[in-house]
Amino acid sequence: MKRIVPPMVVLTVILGGWYALAYSLDNNFASGDGSALIVPPPHRLFVGLNDPTLDRIVSATWISLSAALVGFAIATLVGIVLGVAMAFSRAIESALWPWLIAVQVTPIIVLTPIIIRVVGGTFGARVMVTVLIAFFPVAANTLFGIRSVSTPLHDLFTLAGATRLTRLVRLQLPAASPTIFAGLRIASGLAVIGAIVGDFFFTRGTPGLGRLITFFFQDTRSGPMFVTALVASVIGLAFFLVIAGLRRLLISPWHRP
Amino acid sequence: MAITTRTVVHVDGISHTFGGALALGPLTFAVHPSEIVAVVGPSGCGKTPLVRISAGLLEPTSGAAIHSDRRPGSVGYVFQEPALLAWRRVADNARLFVTRRDEPIVERLLRVSGLADHAAKWPHQLSGGMKMRLALVRSLAASPDLLLMDEPFGALDQITRHRLHDELLSLHVDQRFGAVLVTHAIDEAVYLADRILVMSGAPGRIVEEFAVPFAGRRTNELRYSPPFAELCGTIAASLGRHA
Ligand SMILES: Nc1ncnc2c1ncn2[C@@H]1O[C@H](COP(=O)(O)OP(=O)(O)OP(=O)(O)O)[C@@H](O)[C@H]1O
Ligand SMILES: [Mg+2]
């Protein structure tokens, strides 16, 4: 009950605000097919959502969802490997860190020519953008988590004559896992954003949610546009919930912050 | 120090500096097989660096810690905090580095220390005393020649502390490890040790040494006997003089 009520209160507030906005603006709903660029009230979102439109949304969802999933998986792997590498030596850390920040703040659009040359302008490009946007919190949190392992725990492994690999697998990664999960939670949201933003820059191939939103915008079809955005939100929420679920399963039983 | 005497560790003329400032030493001592040596000294005199040097974990600025027969697991260490692996259950913490051959030892240690009933719990579900017990069990699981303890009971209440003293002594009867016990608590040193080294304030040196004549009489009555109190008083005075 305590977990259900607060989000429902917020939902009610949002819906109320939405209705207030929709009816306070000079919206002309008369056309009835959702084709004007208006703010449709929630109950009119699905007006004009015919089968062909629905098919486009479904296939775009599939494209963006796959790009986000594949991108997130690669970002996780890349982030953890980078974090481990930087934790391994200060030299690697100081060599890589400025470049990671640089990649982090470079506007994606600058990278589009490179991305197109390297992975092409279709699915691979969306995945690439997703990876670029999502890997950083994983790398930073992996590094931070590993660096936070206390001296006594390291001493314990030293006394046992543990190899670097044993130390990594049995001490550093498990100890860092709560922190890594915090990074994954951020990265999961960024991955969905990346998959959709990537769609804005790369126009080849089957459109994903991002490009579909652009199409509906250009056709002034507000209803389908909002629905498409809603689908993106649902994907983001699903990612978040999956990560939260994994965390509950793998971390919560033993971790007391 | 006679060269012919066997030692588990010989801490030979070590001193240590942190950032150019002398924090410890120079000092020398040795621990013989199955001997418990207590080190008492004021806070900040460098006890923790001393223990880490004795373990071979910290390279002293000068001097050396010489181990007679060094191999993985030959030195057990009980840290100032329990230092358990939060992601491993109690039993899995106890057998962290234990080979299949030593499994029975772990089983027995868990039973003796009353942890067997808690074997499937996570460390965070244990009380402070239980956590220290587990740290002790883990440090003994590989049957070390030398057990180093850095104020292991410092965070515990007196009842738990006294109980753990007796557990440590009975484990010592079984395993006969040599031990260094670093502590603030003079009564703890007198109750557990065969020999007590008194350290000065920083930079810590060994300023006095006391033999403890209570072998075989370590029961609760001893704690409240006049000779026990007298030795505690003498050591307290020594600490006071050199602080
Ligand atoms: N890694 C370190 N780097 C720099 N200085 C240190 C380090 N470890 C200890 N010191 C210094 O060495 C001195 C001894 O400190 P330490 O904590 O080891 O004493 P201690 O005798 O173990 O005290 P306590 O009983 O409070 O644990 C202190 O002045 C401390 O600041
Ligand atoms: Mg200390």
Side-chain angles (χ1 to χ4, degrees):
Chain A
M1 212 44 192
K2 268 195 198 134
R3 299 175 58 90
I4 298 292
V5 171
M8 285 304 144
V9 171
V10 176
L11 178 67
T12 311
V13 171
I14 289 176
L15 286 178
W18 191 338
Y19 271 110
L21 186 68
Y23 285 108
S24 67
L25 295 175
D26 188 17
N27 279 324
N28 174 14
F29 305 132
S31 54
D33 61 354
S35 69
L37 195 59
I38 53 172
V39 182
H43 69 274
R44 291 185 63 92
L45 274 183
F46 303 99
V47 174
L49 207 61
N50 49 26
D51 280 353
T53 308
L54 214 56
D55 285 346
R56 291 174 81 190
I57 294 178
V58 168
S59 81
T61 302
W62 179 239
I63 293 284
S64 296
L65 181 62
S66 328
L69 271 175
V70 175
F72 179 66
I74 297 176
T76 300
L77 201 70
V78 168
I80 291 177
V81 167
L82 283 173
V84 167
M86 288 190 290
F88 185 79
S89 100
R90 295 272 172 192
I92 297 179
E93 183 190 354
S94 53
L96 288 182
W97 202 241
W99 299 106
L100 297 189
I101 307 253
V103 169
Q104 188 62 9
V105 299
T106 305
I108 297 295
I109 197 158
V110 178
L111 302 174
T112 46
I114 303 174
I115 294 174
I116 287 180
R117 288 299 167 87
V118 175
V119 292
T122 59
F123 186 72
R126 276 92 164 155
V127 171
M128 186 84 182
V129 173
T130 303
V131 173
L132 285 173
I133 290 187
F135 81 93
F136 190 80
V138 185
N141 279 31
T142 303
L143 173 62
F144 175 72
I146 291 179
R147 280 277 154 80
S148 305
V149 176
S150 70
T151 309
L153 291 182
H154 273 296
D155 286 349
L156 197 62
F157 277 68
T158 307
L159 288 174
T163 61
R164 279 223 65 110
L165 187 66
T166 304
R167 194 182 292 265
L168 179 69
V169 172
R170 291 171 82 175
L171 173 63
Q172 294 172 306
L173 285 179
S177 59
T179 323
I180 295 175
F181 257 91
L184 290 180
R185 192 159 50 190
I186 301 168
S188 71
L190 292 177
V192 178
I193 294 174
I196 288 169
V197 167
D199 225 37
F200 290 146
F201 300 126
F202 302 99
T203 49
R204 263 178 264 164
T206 317
L209 291 174
R211 227 165 111 226
L212 204 56
I213 287 173
T214 320
F215 288 158
F216 289 141
F217 177 82
Q218 284 160 352
D219 297 348
T220 64
R221 298 182 64 198
S222 303
M225 183 176 87
F226 275 92
V227 170
T228 309
L230 212 61
V231 170
S233 312
V234 170
I235 295 178
L237 190 66
F239 266 58
F240 185 88
L241 289 177
V242 167
I243 295 298
L246 278 176
R247 193 189 182 287
R248 272 179 87 89
L249 202 68
L250 299 174
I251 309 291
S252 302
W254 58 264
H255 183 59
R256 285 297 168 280
Chain B
M1 172 69 39
I3 298 164
T4 49
T5 313
R6 221 165 78 74
T7 62
V8 276
V9 66
H10 182 194
V11 174
D12 188 13
I14 61 105
S15 62
H16 199 73
T17 57
F18 287 113
L22 185 63
L24 174 69
L27 61 83
T28 295
F29 70 92
V31 180
H32 303 99
S34 80
E35 178 191 33
I36 300 181
V37 176
V39 177
V40 295
S43 187
C45 73
K47 297 189 296 296
T48 296
L50 174 61
V51 183
R52 295 191 73 232
I53 288 170
S54 307
L57 289 164
L58 179 65
E59 187 68 29
T61 310
S62 62
I66 301 148
H67 295 255
S68 60
D69 176 25
R70 194 66 198 268
R71 62 197 149 75
S74 65
V75 174
Y77 200 130
V78 182
F79 302 92
Q80 221 164 336
E81 68 260 40
L84 302 172
L85 305 189
W87 55 92
R88 284 175 156 250
R89 295 179 190 272
V90 168
D92 297 329
N93 262 283
R95 54 171 154 256
L96 181 59
F97 291 114
V98 162
T99 54
R100 188 165 292 276
R101 195 168 48 83
D102 291 334
E103 284 279 339
I105 300 178
V106 179
E107 297 302 324
R108 205 177 56 80
L109 285 170
L110 285 172
R111 217 167 41 244
V112 171
S113 59
L115 281 165
D117 296 340
H118 307 278
K121 285 188 179 170
W122 298 106
H124 77 83
Q125 295 171 309
L126 299 180
S127 68
M130 284 292 190
K131 284 182 185 157
M132 275 332 290
R133 276 195 181 93
L134 179 51
L136 189 60
V137 165
R138 178 182 62 189
S139 70
L140 293 176
S143 306
D145 303 327
L146 174 64
L147 179 65
L148 301 168
M149 294 171 278
D150 187 359
E151 299 185 41
F153 312 120
L156 304 176
D157 65 274
Q158 186 169 324
I159 297 173
T160 310
R161 212 141 53 88
H162 286 180
R163 200 174 293 154
L164 279 168
H165 289 165
D166 291 330
E167 281 176 27
L168 176 66
L169 286 174
S170 75
L171 292 170
H172 183 250
V173 167
D174 283 355
Q175 290 202 0
R176 307 308 298 169
F177 44 83
V180 175
L181 169 72
V182 158
T183 178
H184 283 126
I186 295 168
D187 67 308
E188 182 168 289
V190 173
Y191 190 70
L192 293 175
D194 302 307
R195 211 148 46 93
I196 297 176
L197 310 176
V198 176
M199 279 178 84
S200 66
R205 290 158 209 246
I206 294 168
V207 287
E208 236 172 308
E209 179 172 334
F210 296 88
V212 182
F214 302 133
R217 293 162 50 199
R218 295 178 163 118
T219 59
N220 244 345
E221 288 80 69
L222 175 66
R223 293 183 190 279
Y224 306 103
S225 71
F228 188 90
E230 195 181 325
L231 184 52
C232 288
T234 312
I235 292 167
S238 169
L239 265 172
R241 273 199 307 281
H242 301 286

